[in-house]
Amino acid sequence: PMQWEADFAPPKFPHSSDEKKLIRKALKKNFVFSDLTDRDLKPLITAFETCTFEKDQVISQQGDPGDFFYILASGKVSFFVNDIKVGNTNNVGASFGELALLYTCPRAASVVATKETKLFRVDQTTFRFILKSQTIK
């Protein structure tokens, strides 16, 4: 179980209306969030920060602890298990990394940007805090 400071508040990042729509749509497609209402998703949507990765930059490494959940905004990523490419995606709105955050387990695959890539990401503490808060409600 995760412990939070009594005054913990999720971060809030500014997003354009198109970015909010993209994040909302991606979350609704993900089994973890599919049953949440738009109202339930609002604090999670604003908690996503924008980050960019250069071509060939490692986004997450197989075996590392889960630290972020990601949504692809643009670019392309490839997935590797034991240094063998097992897939890739350039689908805007594709998401990855939620299982390592949910179960506090090591990353099952490495993720590498195969061209300049823009992602939205939310950290594990915020991710789990918001899910717990929504579940309690």
Side-chain angles (χ1 to χ4, degrees):
M2 293 188 72
Q3 302 296 320
W4 290 281
E5 299 294 325
D7 61 348
F8 177 81
K12 293 182 181 181
F13 296 97
H15 298 292
S16 70
S17 60
D18 286 343
E19 289 173 332
K20 288 177 187 175
K21 286 177 190 173
L22 186 153
I23 295 168
R24 181 179 297 106
K25 186 175 179 182
L27 291 173
K28 291 298 247 178
K29 282 194 223 175
N30 189 297
F31 77 98
V32 176
F33 311 101
S34 59
D35 291 335
L36 297 179
T37 67
D38 286 346
R39 183 175 178 210
D40 294 336
L41 291 174
K42 191 173 182 174
L44 184 58
I45 291 167
T46 60
F48 276 87
E49 68 177 315
T50 305
C51 56
T52 57
F53 293 86
E54 299 299 319
K55 182 180 189 288
D56 298 324
Q57 188 175 356
V58 175
I59 297 165
S60 64
Q61 185 70 45
Q62 181 180 355
D64 284 354
D67 51 359
F68 291 98
F69 167 60
Y70 298 94
I71 295 173
L72 183 67
S74 65
K76 184 176 182 180
V77 297
S78 291
F79 303 94
F80 296 86
V81 174
N82 300 324
D83 296 322
I84 298 169
K85 186 175 178 180
V86 295
N88 61 59
T89 188
N90 62 352
N91 294 333
V92 172
S95 61
F96 55 94
E98 70 278 9
L99 296 180
L101 297 188
L102 279 174
Y103 301 115
T104 313
C105 62
R107 295 285 185 190
S110 294
V111 183
V112 178
T114 55
K115 65 187 227 179
E116 186 175 322
T117 299
K118 176 182 171 184
L119 298 167
F120 297 110
R121 72 181 184 184
V122 66
D123 67 273
Q124 182 183 41
T125 301
T126 301
F127 177 88
R128 293 186 74 183
F129 175 81
I130 291 172
L131 283 182
K132 181 180 176 183
S133 298
Q134 296 308 327
T135 301
I136 290 169
K137 286 180 186 176

